[in-house]
Amino acid sequence: MDRKREIYSVELSGTKDIEKTDKEDGKEKSRGLKNKCLERKKNHQKEELKKELDLDDHKLSKEELEAKYGTNIITGLSSAQAAELLAQHGPNSLTPPKGTPEIIKFLKQMIGGFSILLWIGAILCWIAYGIQYSNDHSSSLDNVYLGCVLALVVILTGVFAYYQEAKSTNIMSSFQKMIPQQALVIRDSEKKTIPADQLVVGDIVEIKGGDRVPADVRLLSTQGCKVDNSSVTGESEPQARSCEFTHESPLETKNIAFFSTTCLEVSAPPVGTATGMVISTGDRTIIGQIASLASGVKDSKTPIAIEIEHFVHIVAGVAVSVGIIFFIIAVSMKYHVLDSIIFLIGIIVANVPEGLLATVTVTLSLTAKRMAKKNCLVKNLEAVETLGSTSIICSDKTGTLTQNRMTVAHLWFDHQIFVADTSENHSNQVFDQSSATWASLSKIITLCNRAEFRPGQESVPIMKKTVVGDASETALLKFSEVMLGNVMDIRKRNRKVAEIPFNSTNKFQLSIHETEDPDDKRFLVVMKGAPERILEKCSTIMVNGQEQPLDRSTAEAFHTAYMELGGIGERVLGFCHLYLPTDEFPETYSFDVDTMNFPTSNFCFVGLLSMIDPPRSTVPDAVTKCRSAGIKVIMVTGDHPITAKAIAKSVGIISANSETVEDIAKRLNLPVEQVNKQDAKAAVVTGMELKDMSPEQLDELLANHSEIVFARTSPQQKLIIVEGCQRQDAVVAVTGDGVNDSPALKKADIGIAMGIAGSDAAKNAADMVLLDDNFASIVTGVEEGRLIFDNLKKTIAYTLTKNIAELCPFLIYIIAGLPLPIGTVTILFIDLGTDIIPSIALAYEKAESDIMNRKPRHKKKDRLVNPPLALYSYLHIGLMQALGAFVTYFTVYAQQGFLPTTILHLRLEWENDNVNDLEDSYGQEWTRYQRKYLEWTGYTAFFVSIMIQQIADLIIRKTRRNSICQQGLFRNKIVWVGIASQIIIALILSYGLGSIQALNFTMLRPQYWFVAVPHAVLIWVYDEVRKLFIRLFPGSWWDKNMYY
Amino acid sequence: MVIQKEKKSCGQVVEEWKEFVWNPRTHQFMGRTGTSWAFILLFYLVFYGFLTAMFTLTMWVMLQTVSDHTPKYQDRLATPGLMIRPKTENLDVIVNVSDTESWDQHVQKLNKFLEPYNDSIQAQKNDVCRPGRYYEQPDNGVLNYPKRACQFNRTQLGNCSGIGDPTHYGYSTGQPCVFIKMNRVINFYAGANQSMNVTCVGKRDEDAENLGNFVMFPANGNIDLMYFPYYGKKFHVNYTQPLVAVKFLNVTPNVEVNVECRINAANIATDDERDKFAGRVAFKLRVNKA
């Protein structure tokens, strides 16, 4: 862990952080957390990293670069050179994280779970045959066949599980390949468009605004270029890029653009594009290095995998111990060792639910499909359940909780704050638009704006149109388009005559327009900018359309409004205008923006407007749902604490009535130190504060506050936060989109990446991808995850039950010497035949109660298979089934002439091939074949009885607490498909295949199908009583011992 | 990473187990307190008591459907099987003429087997019936119980009866007797009112050669109809199963001979592929002479 953290810090924040990690090193040494070996490795690693960062391309001049890479800035590489380099360095694409080789995955399925037990069974079969053969060369091949059948079962279920896994993985890889990227490159003095993965070092590429940077690029010529580096460094603000070498660190310098970041804008023609030289490609890019390191974070086991392992251990433990106990009993009862081995095989086969793991896989993939329909794409099948047991969600802010676009949120004019609709389509603007001030304000908003819609988007809804311009201008453009209609038309009517674009020294933007009123020959100067700068330039203020002098009280009102809007984390802009008098500025006046031959003061202040990246409309509801589901939602963002807190409040991560320590201090007028920390439910923690915290302090923070916002956090801090949560025994979900999130995504129990905004690295590291980037989809995931957990419980309970009914015959056979009631192959027909569809059908069961109103399960206490489940399945229902099946078995034998008393201890004679005149209870004599046939009829009867009682078992397993009447007997149609399948399979086996001897099924008299029905009814009634008592006496002894 | 797998020391594991077995703090034995154990034991006592009662009840109900004298279904016994006496492990009759012990056990078995056939016992217990006819004893509404059986006298077995036989059923001279019997099947009218008999042959050509001559008792291997139908162990108390004895006169010594005997009766099929003992019996015969 330590090693990883360091790597990230170095990678992500450049040289700055190396010093920091050095310091951390010292601290950690004193904590004694590491061993020396690791340390050595670590130092070695650091050396390497330093070497890697010895990138000096940003320091070189253009000529030196040309020499270094053997290229020419004007003509580019030749095709031959490029091809050679491509062959040398490989394509410019990220190597997908190395998965487990397919063969290993396949072998894992072959020996994982119960397979190993079945292999043992198969091998025992062959050994038994070997012994038999060495004694008697004419011995029957039955054991060889059984061994082959067992091996076949393992191989088939293994292949099936492997196929299911592979199928769900394929969904993901196909998804990744959806967007092929193109790059504009100069080669052989020609501009060519080639796939981005064909780029090589030394290529000269051109980048337009809106393009993704196709590789790590040293910029050669550009103007006003801005890139979105958020996926590399986490900075949400656009970063300016130029050709100058500005910083020693390649990560900080402005003349390098990183692979896969987005170039937001390049200033308008004549330049239009940024030109750069490719300096590294593919995995050697900064992004590539981070991504490959993220894949180094070890995958931990998913909660459901742990549960299934636990369950396999229980069942295997029971199988092996019962097997060995009875092997010993059999040997001490003077059975032949060979016979004892065969008993052992029978016991193993009876005890192992052969079909269950395949069923679980199917169930999980069904849920995965269902979730994919709801825009949750699950990469790893087992992650389907993880969301259900999630107890903490660490959510990124931008893009996940928010819409990831600046939107006008508030307006202030006429001394009043108006709320603008920030929902996704802006459809519902309710504020008062009758005031004349609004008319003026809207005109300024429209005119003092350089952003434009890209042409050719007439049919696209306004909010979805792409805009050329920065985030706030885009917001204003869209806002005015929604409010006023065709903005371009308005701008045309108010022709622009001069303009000063925004720059950081002026902090304002100004433009001069002719008015649309042909009678009004005055020029209109409109200005917007930082509110305080705008106010300085004003002498009057517009109220209700009338200009009034700007006095102290109005200035105060302005400040109050400004603080209020700023205080909720919004970006505030001021707007003012001035009509130039016609006498001084006639129509022919020529404005010069450089000399500023026009007034820039004594403007009339019109209003304020504030913007925010607003929360998605579905998020507050989703957060409330998570809350009521007992899931703690923590915001972890790189953004400013004030904005983070504001968004947290508006989506309910910090609820309306809870306060932070700072809030309490402010309210009580106390210094922060004196406030009792226990009083504050909420906490806003910045990265700076987090850096100084010890793990213990972090634990305390996480434990004591229910509403936490982490702001200004770096990627490695995200990792620390996730680990802190995991120390609390929580199952942690992390949402994120950037490359910088990928370590945290990987570390989390379930990483959730954004499908639209997410970077490939994030998607690779994640277990789940939200196709619509919508936080609300997580709630769906939680619900499905919890449901599948409950339903898997039911499936397992259903499947385990009949194991006892299959096991008892062997035990009785050994102890009491009855003719064998059910054969090994017959058992396989139950486990892999009649029981499969019903157990899958339980996955379709609806939730019994509102699963979103209960706490997430405790990772260590709420097991999938708990003692009550095992005991109830094995010792209650299972035993009832066994008794019911035995009644049928005895009936078949008695009605054919062998009364129960006769068949006791009859085994030796019964199975002797040379006894062909065995006397029954009536004095009749039976040949061996006649007895065999009767034995098979017994198998069939036993099989049918188990099947009949499994129908009852299936019905009772629909619920664990509620009565079946409450749940509705017919609501889950698939259960009835399952029941029908059971009956049909049994009918086919008994009547269709009755003549095939190898399968040991015979035509069963119709009445024998009903012998076990009373027991089936009893099972149902008994379970209803159980559930009734559980509902009547919650928390009682009964509840504790009988509720699974 | 940070979550360190705590490796438990051996002592800790033992300690944990000790605490599981008996936890002095909570007074829990194997994870349950005394009351909890009492409850759970009581519960299982009641529950299993109930299940036993339920099982007994259903078994009792089931047994009510079963009659005392005839089984409900006999479909499996449409073709009675044939068997030989003396009963041996692998259906082989091996006689070492010089080695008395090798055949003495057979002789003992046969003596015991044939004891109920002694004429005196037969005369005492059974009727003399009219041959060539089924000996039917219908119930006619009233339970006709017990049924009478027909006499099958040991003397009918002639040279194989073993009465006053110094050769011990021929075993001491290398001319062994093998007895063929047909499996009892209740209410089975063997032969369908026509006479039937048992015939024996060597299985293959060389077996036929090696088998040599043999004589059958009763003559021709006949089985009389009067021994049918059989009414069951309970009603047909002294039923005496008809036998056919085969005395092999000159079996080629020191060779294993496969003998197959089958019954020739109108309603007994002897060609069932799967059941090798339906209406027939195959056994090995070997007479070892020095």
Side-chain angles (χ1 to χ4, degrees):
Chain A
M1 146 78 238
D2 295 320
R3 205 186 78 205
K4 290 281 146 56
R5 188 193 302 167
E6 179 196 79
I7 291 161
Y8 289 126
S9 59
V10 173
E11 284 297 319
L12 299 175
S13 321
T15 42
K16 254 195 324 198
D17 278 4
I18 291 182
E19 296 148 29
K20 192 176 70 197
T21 33
D22 278 341
K23 268 182 238 153
E24 273 178 17
D25 276 2
K27 243 189 266 170
E28 278 158 2
K29 256 177 229 160
S30 60
R31 270 186 241 139
L33 277 173
K34 296 170 302 182
N35 58 37
K36 276 185 182 160
C37 168
L38 206 97
E39 219 169 305
R40 215 178 307 131
K41 237 195 229 165
K42 213 173 105 166
N43 289 336
H44 172 69
Q45 193 101 29
K46 203 190 290 170
E47 293 296 306
E48 253 179 35
L49 280 165
K50 272 184 183 157
K51 245 184 272 159
E52 273 178 311
L53 283 170
D54 260 351
L55 182 71
D56 55 359
D57 290 342
H58 53 297
K59 298 175 195 163
L60 302 178
S61 71
K62 289 179 189 183
E63 289 70 32
E64 286 168 320
L65 278 171
E66 278 186 321
K68 182 175 177 187
Y69 292 110
T71 182
N72 184 299
I73 291 174
I74 310 299
T75 61
L77 292 169
S78 69
S79 299
Q81 266 178 310
E84 195 183 312
L85 284 167
L86 187 65
Q88 196 179 331
H89 296 300
N92 173 35
S93 58
L94 297 182
T95 321
K98 233 189 232 152
T100 338
E102 294 298 303
I103 184 75
I104 301 284
K105 276 193 206 163
F106 185 70
L107 286 180
K108 255 189 185 165
Q109 299 287 4
M110 285 294 159
I111 55 164
F114 297 121
S115 306
I116 201 85
L117 273 185
L118 292 179
W119 280 120
I120 292 173
I123 289 164
L124 283 180
C125 278
W126 293 324
I127 290 176
Y129 175 75
I131 298 173
Q132 272 176 343
Y133 185 78
S134 62
N135 290 341
D136 174 8
H137 290 267
S138 64
S139 55
S140 80
L141 286 166
D142 284 359
N143 280 321
V144 177
Y145 294 143
L146 183 58
C148 293
V149 168
L150 289 180
L152 197 70
V153 164
V154 181
I155 291 169
L156 283 184
T157 49
V159 167
F160 179 77
Y162 171 75
Y163 168 73
Q164 283 287 347
E165 283 276 358
K167 215 168 70 177
S168 68
T169 321
N170 282 345
I171 302 174
M172 195 55 215
S173 43
S174 62
F175 171 76
Q176 282 171 342
K177 281 182 190 131
M178 252 160 42
I179 336 143
Q181 214 190 327
Q182 301 289 322
L184 191 64
V185 63
I186 300 174
R187 280 190 191 164
D188 305 327
S189 320
E190 270 176 63
K191 280 188 191 179
K192 290 180 187 166
T193 305
I194 61 166
D197 59 1
Q198 302 292 316
L199 283 182
V200 294
V201 167
D203 263 333
I204 308 298
V205 288
E206 286 192 358
I207 305 160
K208 294 192 296 294
D211 281 356
R212 274 175 73 191
V213 180
D216 277 1
V217 168
R218 157 74 153 88
L219 294 172
L220 298 171
S221 71
T222 182
Q223 221 170 38
C225 173
K226 278 182 181 172
V227 291
D228 175 9
N229 266 358
S230 61
S231 70
V232 182
T233 59
E235 296 159 302
S236 53
E237 294 285 309
Q239 304 290 308
R241 279 292 175 264
S242 63
C243 311
E244 290 84 43
F245 159 54
T246 58
H247 198 284
E248 282 290 323
S249 159
L251 287 152
E252 302 277 313
T253 187
K254 286 197 168 175
N255 56 0
I256 289 184
F258 300 118
F259 178 39
S260 95
T261 57
T262 312
C263 175
L264 294 172
E265 59 171 291
V266 180
S267 39
V271 186
T273 54
T275 311
M277 182 189 292
V278 175
I279 52 171
S280 49
T281 57
D283 290 331
R284 289 168 301 281
T285 60
I286 301 291
I287 285 268
Q289 289 174 26
I290 297 175
S292 61
L293 285 166
S295 62
V297 178
K298 257 248 163 114
D299 265 331
S300 47
K301 271 192 186 135
T302 57
I304 195 71
I306 294 170
E307 289 306 316
I308 288 173
E309 198 169 87
H310 175 237
F311 151 74
V312 168
H313 284 166
I314 290 179
V315 173
V318 170
V320 169
S321 43
V322 171
I324 288 175
I325 288 171
F326 276 83
F327 182 78
I328 293 167
I329 289 179
V331 170
S332 55
M333 277 174 77
K334 304 266 177 345
Y335 277 102
H336 198 272
V337 176
L338 188 73
D339 288 337
S340 307
I341 290 177
I342 292 169
F343 299 156
L344 186 63
I345 298 165
I347 288 170
I348 290 176
V349 172
N351 249 314
V352 172
E354 288 85 4
L356 187 55
L357 292 187
T359 313
V360 170
T361 317
V362 172
T363 310
L364 290 177
S365 61
L366 282 174
T367 308
K369 256 188 209 160
R370 202 151 56 201
M371 283 166 78
K373 264 187 211 152
K374 294 175 184 170
N375 290 321
C376 290
L377 197 65
V378 181
K379 276 169 63 186
N380 171 6
L381 265 194
E382 285 164 350
V384 163
E385 189 275 335
T386 314
L387 257 188
S389 39
T390 296
S391 47
I392 296 181
I393 297 176
C394 293
S395 177
D396 186 32
K397 179 181 74 77
T398 318
T400 315
L401 298 174
T402 65
Q403 298 169 20
N404 198 14
R405 62 164 171 243
M406 277 299 178
T407 307
V408 175
H410 292 97
L411 301 104
W412 180 80
F413 56 84
D414 295 348
H415 295 315
Q416 240 183 310
I417 290 178
F418 298 92
V419 183
D421 179 23
T422 54
S423 68
E424 275 79 348
N425 51 16
H426 273 26
S427 56
N428 203 13
Q429 301 292 2
V430 287
F431 65 91
D432 180 24
Q433 293 161 30
S434 57
S435 164
T437 319
W438 163 245
S440 302
L441 181 60
S442 61
K443 188 166 268 178
I444 307 169
I445 294 170
T446 314
L447 298 179
C448 189
N449 191 335
R450 296 173 50 208
E452 279 175 28
F453 289 113
R454 280 243 173 112
Q457 305 188 77
E458 284 71 23
S459 56
V460 184
I462 296 169
M463 297 317 292
K464 296 234 167 85
K465 285 183 186 174
T466 26
V467 175
V468 185
D470 78 12
S472 22
E473 295 234 293
T474 306
L476 293 173
L477 174 65
K478 287 185 175 172
F479 178 67
S480 44
E481 182 88 4
V482 169
M483 301 305 296
L484 305 172
N486 195 335
V487 170
M488 295 326 228
D489 199 41
I490 298 173
R491 287 197 197 158
K492 237 180 257 163
R493 278 185 271 133
N494 301 275
R495 200 176 62 86
K496 193 193 285 179
V497 287
E499 169 179 63
I500 303 175
F502 185 86
N503 70 46
S504 45
T505 39
N506 283 345
K507 293 207 166 157
F508 68 81
Q509 177 182 351
L510 176 149
S511 60
I512 304 167
H513 298 261
E514 292 168 355
T515 62
E516 57 189 320
D517 183 354
D519 301 331
D520 191 349
K521 298 293 178 203
R522 292 180 298 174
F523 284 104
L524 173 63
V525 186
V526 288
M527 180 153 69
K528 77 167 185 223
E532 62 276 6
R533 294 300 298 272
I534 296 295
L535 194 71
E536 279 170 21
K537 299 186 186 300
C538 294
S539 56
T540 58
I541 181 166
M542 187 178 275
V543 176
N544 296 327
Q546 304 301 315
E547 278 189 39
Q548 291 175 2
L550 191 68
D551 52 24
R552 267 189 84 91
S553 68
T554 26
E556 209 130 283
F558 159 86
H559 274 292
T560 323
Y562 180 26
M563 292 314 290
E564 192 177 335
L565 295 175
I568 53 174
E570 298 185 355
R571 186 189 292 175
V572 190
L573 288 175
F575 293 84
C576 62
H577 71 192
L578 179 69
Y579 283 98
L580 298 178
T582 34
D583 44 347
E584 273 179 67
F585 300 94
E587 239 180 303
T588 52
Y589 190 83
S590 138
F591 292 95
D592 183 348
V593 290
D594 293 325
T595 55
M596 298 250 229
N597 58 353
F598 48 86
T600 53
S601 59
N602 289 327
F603 276 61
C604 170
F605 190 84
V606 183
L608 290 172
L609 183 148
S610 68
M611 286 170 296
I612 196 163
D613 177 13
R616 291 164 179 276
S617 49
T618 48
V619 168
D621 188 40
V623 170
T624 319
K625 277 187 183 156
C626 287
R627 273 275 157 71
S628 61
I631 302 168
K632 199 163 158 179
V633 184
I634 295 178
M635 183 194 276
V636 182
T637 176
D639 214 336
H640 204 269
I642 295 177
T643 324
K645 191 178 168 189
I647 295 292
K649 278 212 153 163
S650 66
V651 299
I653 288 179
I654 295 180
S655 44
N657 51 4
S658 55
E659 296 175 306
T660 62
V661 176
E662 291 78 16
D663 289 336
I664 298 174
K666 205 168 141 198
R667 176 164 57 84
L668 300 176
N669 238 336
L670 285 168
V672 173
E673 295 75 39
Q674 287 181 19
V675 178
N676 181 3
K677 280 188 182 160
Q678 309 292 329
D679 293 344
K681 247 173 88 185
V684 178
V685 183
T686 64
M688 294 300 283
E689 292 165 341
L690 188 61
K691 204 154 68 179
D692 297 333
M693 278 187 186
S694 67
E696 292 75 30
Q697 282 172 312
L698 178 61
D699 288 351
E700 199 190 307
L701 174 84
L702 290 168
N704 289 341
H705 298 280
S706 58
E707 300 169 348
I708 309 176
V709 170
F710 289 99
R712 285 267 170 232
T713 48
S714 63
Q716 63 265 42
Q717 285 176 327
K718 286 190 180 183
L719 207 58
I720 294 170
I721 294 166
V722 172
E723 280 163 6
C725 295
Q726 283 172 336
R727 275 201 298 276
Q728 322 263 315
D729 266 350
V731 176
V732 184
V734 169
T735 66
D737 49 8
V739 174
N740 56 339
D741 294 324
S742 54
L745 287 172
K746 199 91 200 224
K747 179 68 206 160
D749 294 288
I750 176 166
I752 304 166
M754 298 298 127
I756 302 168
S759 60
D760 283 350
K763 283 181 208 163
N764 273 335
D767 305 295
M768 188 182 267
V769 177
L770 297 184
L771 292 181
D772 56 356
D773 285 15
N774 190 347
F775 187 80
S777 307
I778 294 176
V779 178
T780 319
V782 170
E783 200 167 353
E784 290 290 351
R786 290 187 174 187
L787 186 60
I788 199 65
F789 187 81
D790 283 4
N791 286 347
L792 275 182
K793 247 185 183 180
K794 295 171 184 175
T795 302
I796 290 176
Y798 168 79
T799 318
L800 283 189
T801 305
K802 55 137 198 302
N803 279 359
I804 284 295
E806 292 166 357
L807 179 65
C808 285
F810 275 94
L811 307 189
I812 303 284
Y813 167 73
I814 296 170
I815 305 275
L818 299 179
L820 187 62
I822 188 164
T824 318
V825 174
T826 324
I827 288 175
L828 290 177
F829 271 102
I830 299 178
D831 289 1
L832 296 169
T834 56
D835 258 12
I836 292 288
I837 299 176
S839 48
I840 294 173
L842 284 172
Y844 289 91
E845 203 52 52
K846 295 273 177 305
E848 277 175 70
S849 54
D850 193 352
I851 41 175
M852 292 307 278
N853 267 336
R854 63 174 196 224
K855 283 206 150 44
R857 73 183 180 94
H858 191 285
K859 200 155 73 167
K860 293 191 175 142
K861 288 184 193 143
D862 305 326
R863 307 308 302 253
L864 182 66
V865 175
N866 48 19
L869 185 148
L871 288 178
Y872 186 68
S873 300
Y874 277 149
L875 296 184
H876 294 214
I877 305 298
L879 214 63
M880 282 164 138
Q881 281 194 351
L883 289 182
F886 267 109
V887 170
T888 319
Y889 162 83
F890 281 124
T891 308
V892 168
Y893 277 75
Q895 296 197 337
Q896 292 279 3
F898 287 93
L899 294 180
T901 44
T902 314
I903 51 178
L904 273 180
H905 303 293
L906 196 63
R907 193 190 76 89
L908 272 181
E909 286 209 281
W910 180 278
E911 291 181 350
N912 188 338
D913 282 338
N914 292 318
V915 175
N916 279 292
D917 53 352
L918 186 70
E919 199 177 309
D920 68 13
S921 314
Y922 294 90
Q924 305 186 98
E925 290 167 316
W926 294 65
T927 65
R928 172 65 180 134
Y929 179 78
Q930 286 163 347
R931 297 197 302 270
K932 231 183 210 166
Y933 194 90
L934 179 57
E935 192 176 314
W936 294 336
T937 313
Y939 292 177
T940 315
F942 213 93
F943 164 81
V944 165
S945 305
I946 291 180
M947 185 276 290
I948 294 286
Q949 293 177 91
Q950 277 293 77
I951 293 177
D953 191 26
L954 180 62
I955 290 171
I956 65 166
R957 299 300 185 182
K958 280 163 69 75
T959 62
R960 294 184 296 146
R961 178 185 292 274
N962 288 351
S963 162
I964 296 301
C965 309
Q966 286 168 294
Q967 182 80 353
L969 192 50
F970 299 100
R971 241 178 50 191
N972 182 352
K973 302 278 183 302
I974 313 289
V975 162
W976 290 95
V977 172
I979 292 176
S981 79
Q982 278 182 304
I983 295 172
I984 290 167
I985 291 173
L987 282 173
I988 291 174
L989 286 175
S990 173
Y991 297 120
L993 301 176
S995 51
I996 297 178
Q997 299 296 312
L999 299 180
N1000 302 165
F1001 283 95
T1002 65
M1003 303 239 192
L1004 200 62
R1005 282 184 175 29
Q1007 66 265 36
Y1008 292 148
W1009 290 67
F1010 301 97
V1011 177
V1013 168
H1015 276 86
V1017 174
L1018 179 73
I1019 287 173
W1020 191 348
V1021 172
Y1022 175 66
D1023 193 63
E1024 281 295 322
V1025 171
R1026 177 188 74 93
K1027 288 170 188 161
L1028 179 70
F1029 283 165
I1030 287 172
R1031 291 196 304 275
L1032 284 183
F1033 309 110
S1036 65
W1037 176 89
W1038 184 272
D1039 188 13
K1040 273 182 217 145
N1041 284 283
M1042 303 292 265
Y1043 180 67
Y1044 54 85
Chain B
M1 306 218 103
V2 165
I3 312 153
Q4 286 144 350
K5 273 254 160 116
E6 290 154 39
K7 279 263 187 270
K8 289 175 197 159
S9 72
C10 194
Q12 265 176 311
V13 173
V14 171
E15 215 33 59
E16 269 174 28
W17 272 97
K18 261 190 196 162
E19 194 169 288
F20 173 70
V21 174
W22 173 248
N23 186 338
R25 238 174 338 101
T26 52
H27 289 273
Q28 281 177 331
F29 172 68
M30 309 276 272
R32 284 180 185 278
T33 59
T35 2
S36 183
W37 272 113
F39 260 123
I40 206 95
L41 289 179
L42 182 72
F43 171 80
Y44 277 103
L45 202 68
V46 173
F47 179 61
Y48 286 162
F50 167 74
L51 283 190
T52 317
M54 175 83 188
F55 181 69
T56 317
L57 179 78
T58 40
M59 285 295 280
W60 180 81
V61 169
M62 181 273 284
L63 289 175
Q64 298 313 299
T65 67
V66 175
S67 101
D68 261 356
H69 55 285
T70 24
K72 191 156 183 167
Y73 301 113
Q74 290 182 281
D75 51 306
R76 287 297 104 214
L77 297 176
T79 313
L82 252 53
M83 247 322 243
I84 57 159
R85 287 290 181 275
K87 196 174 181 178
T88 58
E89 191 99 322
N90 292 312
L91 287 175
D92 47 0
V93 182
I94 300 169
V95 185
N96 287 329
V97 177
S98 51
D99 178 9
T100 318
E101 258 177 55
S102 75
W103 43 262
D104 190 51
Q105 43 162 338
H106 298 321
V107 174
Q108 297 303 325
K109 275 187 201 157
L110 288 176
N111 282 341
K112 206 173 167 226
F113 173 68
L114 291 175
E115 207 181 297
Y117 291 85
N118 285 344
D119 293 16
S120 54
I121 298 176
Q122 288 295 318
Q124 186 190 337
K125 288 183 175 166
N126 290 345
D127 298 349
V128 181
C129 308
R130 237 181 74 193
R133 267 183 58 182
Y134 290 118
Y135 188 47
E136 287 179 285
Q137 301 164 71
D139 288 338
N140 293 334
V142 191
L143 217 54
N144 178 6
Y145 166 81
K147 314 270 190 204
R148 304 291 300 167
C150 295
Q151 285 183 4
F152 187 100
N153 288 320
R154 197 164 168 177
T155 45
Q156 282 174 264
L157 295 170
N159 285 346
C160 283
S161 68
I163 304 167
D165 184 0
T167 63
H168 301 285
Y169 307 101
Y171 282 82
S172 62
T173 58
Q175 295 175 319
C177 287
V178 175
F179 297 82
I180 314 284
K181 68 188 249 300
M182 186 164 72
N183 282 352
R184 293 187 293 264
V185 175
I186 291 173
N187 286 335
F188 180 65
Y189 289 81
N193 236 338
Q194 294 160 38
S195 67
M196 53 185 160
N197 71 329
V198 173
T199 52
C200 292
V201 287
K203 208 165 189 179
R204 289 179 288 262
D205 290 345
E206 66 265 30
D207 290 327
E209 272 171 37
N210 292 335
L211 192 56
N213 298 329
F214 56 85
V215 281
M216 295 183 116
F217 308 97
N220 241 347
N222 272 335
I223 294 179
D224 202 282
L225 295 185
M226 67 181 172
Y227 302 106
F228 303 94
Y230 174 55
Y231 285 109
K233 189 159 77 173
K234 203 159 183 186
F235 290 172
H236 224 155
V237 184
N238 292 315
Y239 180 75
T240 312
Q241 208 166 0
L243 298 173
V244 171
V246 191
K247 190 173 177 73
F248 299 96
L249 298 173
N250 52 352
V251 185
T252 315
N254 307 326
V255 178
E256 197 174 86
V257 187
N258 292 299
V259 189
E260 194 176 68
C261 297
R262 58 179 70 223
I263 183 143
N264 305 301
N267 61 351
I268 301 174
T270 59
D271 52 358
D272 192 314
E273 289 259 319
R274 291 179 191 136
D275 191 350
K276 301 288 182 210
F277 291 84
R280 61 202 145 141
V281 60
F283 61 94
K284 287 175 190 139
L285 187 65
R286 186 186 177 109
V287 178
N288 291 334
K289 278 183 185 165

